[in-house]
């Protein structure tokens, strides 16, 4: 018998979800399967590349206009969204594995990016 | 004169940050630079592949033990964390561009993943 | 009725095959399907990332020793080899699309790489 | 003092170069640096993903028309060509490491691809 993640009944939106909740969801999934050994950051970074490749497939032969229109086709949007979710899952798994706070790290990096690409000069 | 993102003074952790706040941070960064035209999902998925490549560089020639130890070296952890932040930024940018709720999509995908890899059978 | 590439009966090895023959094989495949419009270098570089992702799957969760041993298992070697062939096909398709001589470009790049990594210093 | 690869004076084109010559060039480069241990297929597949990411950078924000025109700008063509050469070098390094005949494997895969995408049906 299969154990669904206990948070599976939760359908809270991005407005109502703290980043830590998503980290806990991914960690629980890994722990329940005893995959901690496999969740080495080298393996996980490779996994992110694999999932990114699967996301790329949804835009591979499209023009830029066609790519923009994917979001207006419910089935295509859903399919691309599933690949994006897998990418996010591995970003989170890497953060879990390396004990990285994503919110703090992203905010700090965006400041550096803002210095690199000043408003009005790019 | 450079405008830092207005949330730059915020150093809230994953425990205190809603996913939407990170989406707003990335959206503001893009809007301030008038990059909306470039933020086509095809371009952004390519960008995620580029940043994932930069993350991979931090583990390229390491053994799995050495990869696990990156998190124990502050400078190496910081450097890898910056690349991970760029990966997350593009995941979020794709979600912004395609109007995808990351929390709902990730939860739904984890249920499907749980069905694919039942506990105790993998 | 399907037209196989006319060179399909050829089983010459790397010792007996000029690079141009492989370029011609890929070009003929594309021309027969009228795919020239899709074979834009942006699309093709994305395609290389996708196929590289599929190659990575064959090593994703393996230790380095296990990865080395893939070549000793005929079925696994064959499966990984097919993904490597797809990667090569897209490298060649990019060269065809951009009119790049792979042999001259690789030789020139290896000289630059040799300057960057001098023998005895790395 | 640096040893350039002995074939460095060779500027033969794709018409005059056998695939094995390029394999020998890459193998010699690796052997001279005693990099055989690092040239594990897992590491090398990661390396191909990294170099593919660097190739993608040359097309990241371009329209398809702009991407097609890269080949008409000598400096841009040269820069993209160097990244393509690094991708090819890693494809070859993987073949060397796994003892794969690229010509035979590519021909066999193109027959399978032709069966998957019959002429006149795609």
């Amino acid at each position: 018998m299969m154990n669904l993640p206990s948070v599976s009944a939760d359908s809270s939106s991005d407005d109502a979800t703290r980043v830590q909740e998503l980290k806990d969801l991914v960690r629980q999934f890994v722990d329940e399967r005893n995959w901690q050994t496999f969740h080495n950051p080298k393996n996980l970074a490779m996994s992110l590349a694999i999932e990114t490749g699967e996301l790329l497939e949804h835009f591979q032969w499209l023009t830029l206009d066609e790519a923009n229109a994917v979001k207006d086709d419910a089935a295509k949007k859903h399919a691309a969204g599933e690949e994006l979710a897998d990418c996010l899952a591995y970003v989170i798994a890497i953060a879990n594995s390396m004990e990285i706070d994503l919110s703090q790290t992203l905010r700090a990096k965006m400041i550096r990016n803002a210095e690199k690409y000043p408003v009005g000069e790019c």
Side-chain angles (χ1 to χ4, degrees), chain A residues 5 24-35:
Chain A
D24 291 344
L25 172 63
V26 172
R27 182 184 298 280
Q28 181 185 347
F29 186 90
V30 173
D31 287 351
E32 285 176 347
R33 284 155 187 79
N34 290 315
W35 283 354

Side-chain angles (χ1 to χ4, degrees), chain A residues 7-8 22 26 35 38 43 51 55 63 98 105 109:
Chain A
V7 292
S8 65
L22 300 183
V26 172
W35 283 354
F38 296 107
N43 293 350
E51 297 300 336
L55 177 64
T63 65
M98 297 187 71
T105 306
K109 189 56 167 54

